[in-house]
Short mmCIF file of all heavy atoms in Angstrom, two decimals:
data_model
loop_
_atom_site.label_atom_id
_atom_site.label_comp_id
_atom_site.label_asym_id
_atom_site.label_seq_id
_atom_site.Cartn_x
_atom_site.Cartn_y
_atom_site.Cartn_z
N GLN A 45 1.94 56.30 -17.16
CA GLN A 45 0.88 55.44 -16.66
C GLN A 45 1.16 54.69 -15.40
O GLN A 45 0.35 54.00 -14.82
CB GLN A 45 0.42 54.46 -17.82
CG GLN A 45 -0.06 55.13 -19.02
CD GLN A 45 -0.28 54.18 -20.14
OE1 GLN A 45 0.24 53.07 -20.07
NE2 GLN A 45 -1.05 54.55 -21.08
N LEU A 46 2.46 54.77 -14.94
CA LEU A 46 2.81 54.04 -13.72
C LEU A 46 2.37 54.84 -12.53
O LEU A 46 2.38 56.05 -12.56
CB LEU A 46 4.29 53.69 -13.69
CG LEU A 46 4.84 52.82 -14.77
CD1 LEU A 46 6.32 52.62 -14.67
CD2 LEU A 46 4.17 51.48 -14.68
N ASP A 47 2.09 54.12 -11.45
CA ASP A 47 1.69 54.78 -10.21
C ASP A 47 2.88 55.64 -9.73
O ASP A 47 4.01 55.23 -9.72
CB ASP A 47 1.26 53.75 -9.13
CG ASP A 47 -0.03 53.09 -9.49
OD1 ASP A 47 -0.84 53.66 -10.20
OD2 ASP A 47 -0.29 51.95 -8.93
N GLN A 48 2.50 56.78 -9.10
CA GLN A 48 3.51 57.61 -8.53
C GLN A 48 3.39 57.53 -7.03
O GLN A 48 2.32 57.37 -6.47
CB GLN A 48 3.25 59.09 -8.91
CG GLN A 48 3.33 59.37 -10.40
CD GLN A 48 4.79 59.58 -10.80
OE1 GLN A 48 5.58 60.14 -10.03
NE2 GLN A 48 5.16 59.06 -11.96
N ASN A 49 4.52 57.53 -6.33
CA ASN A 49 4.48 57.50 -4.88
C ASN A 49 5.66 58.41 -4.39
O ASN A 49 6.31 59.07 -5.20
CB ASN A 49 4.63 56.11 -4.28
CG ASN A 49 5.85 55.41 -4.72
OD1 ASN A 49 6.94 56.03 -4.96
ND2 ASN A 49 5.81 54.11 -4.94
N GLU A 50 5.84 58.51 -3.05
CA GLU A 50 6.81 59.43 -2.55
C GLU A 50 8.22 59.08 -3.03
O GLU A 50 9.14 59.94 -3.04
CB GLU A 50 6.75 59.53 -1.05
CG GLU A 50 7.08 58.24 -0.29
CD GLU A 50 5.92 57.29 -0.11
OE1 GLU A 50 4.77 57.63 -0.55
OE2 GLU A 50 6.05 56.28 0.44
N ALA A 51 8.50 57.87 -3.35
CA ALA A 51 9.78 57.45 -3.77
C ALA A 51 10.09 57.78 -5.29
O ALA A 51 11.17 57.98 -5.68
CB ALA A 51 9.95 55.96 -3.57
N THR A 52 8.98 57.90 -6.07
CA THR A 52 9.16 58.07 -7.49
C THR A 52 8.63 59.46 -7.98
O THR A 52 8.88 59.79 -9.11
CB THR A 52 8.47 57.01 -8.32
OG1 THR A 52 7.05 57.10 -8.02
CG2 THR A 52 9.01 55.64 -7.99
N ILE A 53 7.98 60.21 -7.15
CA ILE A 53 7.32 61.39 -7.57
C ILE A 53 8.29 62.47 -8.13
O ILE A 53 8.10 63.13 -9.08
CB ILE A 53 6.36 61.99 -6.52
CG1 ILE A 53 5.46 63.07 -7.14
CG2 ILE A 53 7.14 62.57 -5.33
CD1 ILE A 53 4.43 62.53 -8.03
N ASN A 54 9.41 62.69 -7.36
CA ASN A 54 10.37 63.78 -7.75
C ASN A 54 11.79 63.20 -7.84
O ASN A 54 12.49 63.15 -6.87
CB ASN A 54 10.30 64.93 -6.74
CG ASN A 54 11.13 66.10 -7.16
OD1 ASN A 54 11.64 66.09 -8.28
ND2 ASN A 54 11.31 67.00 -6.26
N GLN A 55 12.12 62.75 -8.98
CA GLN A 55 13.47 62.22 -9.22
C GLN A 55 14.24 63.12 -10.07
O GLN A 55 15.16 62.69 -10.78
CB GLN A 55 13.38 60.82 -9.73
CG GLN A 55 12.86 59.87 -8.69
CD GLN A 55 12.95 58.41 -9.14
OE1 GLN A 55 13.38 58.11 -10.24
NE2 GLN A 55 12.58 57.51 -8.29
N SER A 56 13.89 64.41 -10.16
CA SER A 56 14.58 65.32 -11.03
C SER A 56 16.01 65.55 -10.57
O SER A 56 16.88 65.91 -11.36
CB SER A 56 13.85 66.67 -11.07
OG SER A 56 13.77 67.21 -9.77
N PHE A 57 16.29 65.25 -9.26
CA PHE A 57 17.66 65.45 -8.81
C PHE A 57 18.58 64.34 -9.40
O PHE A 57 19.83 64.52 -9.41
CB PHE A 57 17.67 65.29 -7.31
CG PHE A 57 17.21 63.96 -6.75
CD1 PHE A 57 18.19 62.94 -6.51
CD2 PHE A 57 15.90 63.70 -6.49
CE1 PHE A 57 17.78 61.74 -6.08
CE2 PHE A 57 15.50 62.57 -6.01
CZ PHE A 57 16.48 61.52 -5.76
N LEU A 58 18.02 63.31 -10.00
CA LEU A 58 18.84 62.30 -10.65
C LEU A 58 19.30 62.74 -12.03
O LEU A 58 20.23 62.09 -12.55
CB LEU A 58 18.07 60.96 -10.75
CG LEU A 58 17.77 60.28 -9.39
CD1 LEU A 58 16.94 59.05 -9.62
CD2 LEU A 58 18.99 59.92 -8.66
N ALA A 59 18.61 63.67 -12.61
CA ALA A 59 18.97 64.11 -13.97
C ALA A 59 20.37 64.78 -13.93
O ALA A 59 20.74 65.46 -12.96
CB ALA A 59 18.01 65.03 -14.52
N ALA A 60 21.10 64.45 -14.95
CA ALA A 60 22.48 65.05 -14.99
C ALA A 60 22.41 66.55 -15.22
O ALA A 60 21.62 67.03 -16.02
CB ALA A 60 23.29 64.44 -16.14
N SER A 61 23.17 67.27 -14.43
CA SER A 61 23.23 68.71 -14.59
C SER A 61 24.66 69.13 -14.64
O SER A 61 25.53 68.53 -14.19
CB SER A 61 22.47 69.35 -13.49
OG SER A 61 23.16 69.12 -12.27
N THR A 62 24.85 70.31 -15.28
CA THR A 62 26.17 70.89 -15.38
C THR A 62 26.34 71.89 -14.38
O THR A 62 25.46 72.76 -14.20
CB THR A 62 26.47 71.43 -16.80
OG1 THR A 62 25.44 72.37 -17.07
CG2 THR A 62 26.41 70.30 -17.83
N SER A 63 27.49 71.90 -13.69
CA SER A 63 27.73 72.87 -12.64
C SER A 63 28.22 74.20 -13.30
O SER A 63 28.94 74.17 -14.29
CB SER A 63 28.80 72.34 -11.68
OG SER A 63 29.10 73.31 -10.72
N THR A 64 27.86 75.24 -12.66
CA THR A 64 28.34 76.54 -13.14
C THR A 64 29.56 76.98 -12.43
O THR A 64 30.12 78.06 -12.77
CB THR A 64 27.22 77.59 -13.01
OG1 THR A 64 26.79 77.70 -11.63
CG2 THR A 64 25.96 77.18 -13.87
N ARG A 65 29.98 76.24 -11.39
CA ARG A 65 31.09 76.72 -10.59
C ARG A 65 32.18 75.61 -10.65
O ARG A 65 31.89 74.38 -10.80
CB ARG A 65 30.68 76.86 -9.14
CG ARG A 65 29.57 77.94 -9.05
CD ARG A 65 29.00 78.04 -7.70
NE ARG A 65 30.02 78.41 -6.74
CZ ARG A 65 29.95 78.16 -5.43
NH1 ARG A 65 28.90 77.51 -4.96
NH2 ARG A 65 30.91 78.48 -4.62
N SER A 66 33.39 76.07 -10.46
CA SER A 66 34.49 75.08 -10.56
C SER A 66 34.67 74.41 -9.15
O SER A 66 34.20 74.91 -8.17
CB SER A 66 35.83 75.78 -10.92
OG SER A 66 36.23 76.64 -9.94
N ARG A 67 35.39 73.35 -9.20
CA ARG A 67 35.65 72.63 -7.91
C ARG A 67 36.46 73.51 -6.96
O ARG A 67 36.23 73.47 -5.77
CB ARG A 67 36.32 71.31 -8.22
CG ARG A 67 36.67 70.51 -6.96
CD ARG A 67 37.19 69.11 -7.33
NE ARG A 67 37.58 68.35 -6.16
CZ ARG A 67 36.76 67.66 -5.39
NH1 ARG A 67 35.48 67.64 -5.63
NH2 ARG A 67 37.15 67.00 -4.30
N ALA A 68 37.43 74.21 -7.51
CA ALA A 68 38.24 75.08 -6.67
C ALA A 68 37.40 76.17 -5.99
O ALA A 68 37.64 76.49 -4.83
CB ALA A 68 39.33 75.72 -7.54
N ASP A 69 36.37 76.69 -6.69
CA ASP A 69 35.52 77.69 -6.04
C ASP A 69 34.75 77.09 -4.91
O ASP A 69 34.57 77.74 -3.86
CB ASP A 69 34.59 78.25 -7.06
CG ASP A 69 35.21 79.12 -8.16
OD1 ASP A 69 36.31 79.59 -7.93
OD2 ASP A 69 34.61 79.32 -9.21
N VAL A 70 34.23 75.88 -5.11
CA VAL A 70 33.46 75.27 -4.00
C VAL A 70 34.36 74.94 -2.84
O VAL A 70 33.98 75.16 -1.70
CB VAL A 70 32.82 73.99 -4.61
CG1 VAL A 70 32.15 73.21 -3.48
CG2 VAL A 70 31.83 74.31 -5.71
N VAL A 71 35.50 74.46 -3.06
CA VAL A 71 36.45 74.10 -2.01
C VAL A 71 36.82 75.37 -1.24
O VAL A 71 36.86 75.41 0.00
CB VAL A 71 37.71 73.42 -2.55
CG1 VAL A 71 38.85 73.31 -1.51
CG2 VAL A 71 37.41 72.03 -3.07
N ALA A 72 37.09 76.51 -1.95
CA ALA A 72 37.47 77.72 -1.28
C ALA A 72 36.25 78.28 -0.44
O ALA A 72 36.50 78.73 0.67
CB ALA A 72 37.90 78.82 -2.34
N GLU A 73 35.10 78.13 -0.99
CA GLU A 73 33.92 78.58 -0.26
C GLU A 73 33.69 77.73 1.07
O GLU A 73 33.41 78.26 2.08
CB GLU A 73 32.67 78.55 -1.11
CG GLU A 73 31.43 78.99 -0.40
CD GLU A 73 30.18 78.93 -1.35
OE1 GLU A 73 30.36 78.73 -2.54
OE2 GLU A 73 29.09 78.99 -0.73
N THR A 74 33.90 76.45 0.91
CA THR A 74 33.76 75.53 2.12
C THR A 74 34.80 75.86 3.18
O THR A 74 34.50 75.91 4.40
CB THR A 74 33.89 74.08 1.62
OG1 THR A 74 32.95 73.86 0.65
CG2 THR A 74 33.66 73.14 2.79
N ILE A 75 36.03 76.11 2.76
CA ILE A 75 37.07 76.44 3.69
C ILE A 75 36.80 77.76 4.40
O ILE A 75 36.94 77.93 5.63
CB ILE A 75 38.49 76.43 3.00
CG1 ILE A 75 38.85 75.03 2.64
CG2 ILE A 75 39.54 77.08 3.91
CD1 ILE A 75 40.07 74.96 1.76
N ALA A 76 36.36 78.77 3.66
CA ALA A 76 35.99 80.03 4.19
C ALA A 76 34.85 79.95 5.21
O ALA A 76 34.85 80.50 6.25
CB ALA A 76 35.62 81.05 3.08
N ALA A 77 33.83 79.08 4.91
CA ALA A 77 32.70 78.88 5.73
C ALA A 77 33.12 78.16 7.05
O ALA A 77 32.71 78.46 8.14
CB ALA A 77 31.59 78.12 5.10
N ARG A 78 33.99 77.19 6.88
CA ARG A 78 34.54 76.47 8.07
C ARG A 78 35.33 77.44 9.00
O ARG A 78 35.13 77.43 10.19
CB ARG A 78 35.47 75.31 7.62
CG ARG A 78 36.02 74.57 8.82
CD ARG A 78 37.08 73.59 8.43
NE ARG A 78 38.20 74.33 7.94
CZ ARG A 78 39.19 73.90 7.19
NH1 ARG A 78 39.17 72.66 6.88
NH2 ARG A 78 40.17 74.67 6.75
N ASP A 79 36.14 78.26 8.41
CA ASP A 79 37.00 79.19 9.17
C ASP A 79 36.09 80.21 9.83
O ASP A 79 36.41 80.72 10.93
CB ASP A 79 38.03 79.89 8.26
CG ASP A 79 39.07 78.91 7.78
OD1 ASP A 79 39.18 77.79 8.37
OD2 ASP A 79 39.80 79.22 6.79
N ALA A 80 34.97 80.58 9.25
CA ALA A 80 34.08 81.56 9.84
C ALA A 80 33.08 80.92 10.79
O ALA A 80 32.30 81.57 11.45
CB ALA A 80 33.22 82.26 8.72
N GLY A 81 33.14 79.58 10.98
CA GLY A 81 32.28 78.93 11.92
C GLY A 81 30.89 78.77 11.46
O GLY A 81 29.91 78.67 12.24
N GLU A 82 30.68 78.78 10.19
CA GLU A 82 29.33 78.76 9.59
C GLU A 82 28.82 77.33 9.24
O GLU A 82 27.67 77.19 8.85
CB GLU A 82 29.21 79.62 8.26
CG GLU A 82 29.51 81.07 8.56
CD GLU A 82 29.57 81.89 7.29
OE1 GLU A 82 29.59 81.28 6.16
OE2 GLU A 82 29.73 83.11 7.36
N LEU A 83 29.70 76.33 9.36
CA LEU A 83 29.30 74.95 9.08
C LEU A 83 28.60 74.36 10.27
O LEU A 83 28.82 74.72 11.38
CB LEU A 83 30.51 74.13 8.70
CG LEU A 83 31.24 74.57 7.43
CD1 LEU A 83 32.44 73.59 7.28
CD2 LEU A 83 30.34 74.47 6.25
N ASP A 84 27.69 73.48 9.97
CA ASP A 84 26.92 72.74 11.05
C ASP A 84 27.94 72.00 11.91
O ASP A 84 28.92 71.45 11.43
CB ASP A 84 25.89 71.75 10.47
CG ASP A 84 24.73 72.53 9.84
OD1 ASP A 84 24.49 73.67 10.21
OD2 ASP A 84 24.07 71.93 9.01
N ARG A 85 27.55 71.91 13.16
CA ARG A 85 28.45 71.17 14.13
C ARG A 85 27.53 70.09 14.70
O ARG A 85 26.36 70.22 14.83
CB ARG A 85 28.95 72.11 15.21
CG ARG A 85 29.87 73.23 14.68
CD ARG A 85 30.13 74.22 15.73
NE ARG A 85 30.74 73.67 16.89
CZ ARG A 85 31.96 74.03 17.34
NH1 ARG A 85 32.64 74.91 16.69
NH2 ARG A 85 32.50 73.49 18.43
N ASN A 86 28.21 69.02 15.15
CA ASN A 86 27.46 67.95 15.82
C ASN A 86 28.12 67.53 17.13
O ASN A 86 29.14 68.12 17.52
CB ASN A 86 27.31 66.75 14.86
CG ASN A 86 28.64 66.14 14.49
OD1 ASN A 86 29.61 66.27 15.19
ND2 ASN A 86 28.67 65.52 13.38
N GLU A 87 27.51 66.69 17.82
CA GLU A 87 27.97 66.36 19.18
C GLU A 87 29.37 65.71 19.15
O GLU A 87 30.18 65.87 20.11
CB GLU A 87 27.02 65.45 19.93
CG GLU A 87 26.82 64.03 19.28
CD GLU A 87 25.78 64.09 18.16
OE1 GLU A 87 25.16 65.10 17.90
OE2 GLU A 87 25.63 63.03 17.55
N ALA A 88 29.75 65.04 18.07
CA ALA A 88 31.08 64.45 17.94
C ALA A 88 32.15 65.56 17.83
O ALA A 88 33.22 65.44 18.39
CB ALA A 88 31.18 63.49 16.81
N TYR A 89 31.80 66.63 17.14
CA TYR A 89 32.76 67.67 16.91
C TYR A 89 33.00 68.45 18.19
O TYR A 89 34.09 68.95 18.48
CB TYR A 89 32.27 68.62 15.81
CG TYR A 89 33.25 69.73 15.44
CD1 TYR A 89 34.28 69.49 14.64
CD2 TYR A 89 33.08 71.03 15.99
CE1 TYR A 89 35.24 70.49 14.29
CE2 TYR A 89 34.00 71.97 15.69
CZ TYR A 89 35.02 71.74 14.84
OH TYR A 89 35.94 72.72 14.53
N ASP A 90 31.97 68.59 19.01
CA ASP A 90 32.04 69.36 20.28
C ASP A 90 32.66 68.56 21.36
O ASP A 90 32.92 69.10 22.43
CB ASP A 90 30.66 69.78 20.68
CG ASP A 90 30.11 70.88 19.73
OD1 ASP A 90 30.94 71.60 19.12
OD2 ASP A 90 28.89 71.05 19.61
N ASP A 91 32.88 67.28 21.19
CA ASP A 91 33.49 66.44 22.24
C ASP A 91 34.94 66.74 22.40
O ASP A 91 35.69 66.78 21.41
CB ASP A 91 33.34 64.96 21.87
CG ASP A 91 33.69 64.06 23.01
OD1 ASP A 91 34.09 64.51 24.07
OD2 ASP A 91 33.59 62.82 22.84
N VAL A 92 35.34 67.06 23.55
CA VAL A 92 36.73 67.58 23.87
C VAL A 92 37.73 66.46 23.47
O VAL A 92 38.80 66.79 23.01
CB VAL A 92 36.81 68.03 25.34
CG1 VAL A 92 38.25 68.49 25.60
CG2 VAL A 92 35.85 69.00 25.69
N SER A 93 37.45 65.28 23.66
CA SER A 93 38.41 64.21 23.37
C SER A 93 38.78 64.15 21.89
O SER A 93 39.85 63.66 21.58
CB SER A 93 37.81 62.81 23.86
OG SER A 93 36.66 62.51 23.03
N TYR A 94 37.93 64.56 21.01
CA TYR A 94 38.26 64.60 19.57
C TYR A 94 39.18 65.74 19.22
O TYR A 94 39.94 65.68 18.27
CB TYR A 94 37.02 64.65 18.74
CG TYR A 94 36.28 63.37 18.69
CD1 TYR A 94 35.08 63.24 19.34
CD2 TYR A 94 36.81 62.24 17.99
CE1 TYR A 94 34.37 61.98 19.29
CE2 TYR A 94 36.12 61.10 17.99
CZ TYR A 94 34.92 60.98 18.58
OH TYR A 94 34.20 59.82 18.54
N MET A 95 39.11 66.80 20.00
CA MET A 95 39.87 68.03 19.71
C MET A 95 41.18 68.10 20.45
O MET A 95 42.12 68.94 20.13
CB MET A 95 39.01 69.27 20.05
CG MET A 95 37.77 69.31 19.20
SD MET A 95 36.80 70.82 19.33
CE MET A 95 36.66 71.17 21.00
#
Side-chain angles (χ1 to χ4, degrees):
Q45 296 172 343
L46 294 181
D47 289 338
Q48 296 279 323
N49 60 34
E50 64 274 1
T52 62
I53 192 72
N54 185 9
Q55 293 187 356
S56 60
F57 63 91
L58 294 176
S61 63
T62 54
S63 178
T64 58
R65 302 173 59 204
S66 70
R67 180 172 176 82
D69 290 341
V70 173
V71 169
E73 182 181 343
T74 304
I75 291 172
R78 182 193 62 198
D79 293 343
E82 296 174 354
L83 296 180
D84 289 338
R85 297 168 60 119
N86 60 28
E87 64 276 355
Y89 185 80
D90 290 332
D91 189 359
V92 180
S93 64
Y94 286 108
M95 299 189 311

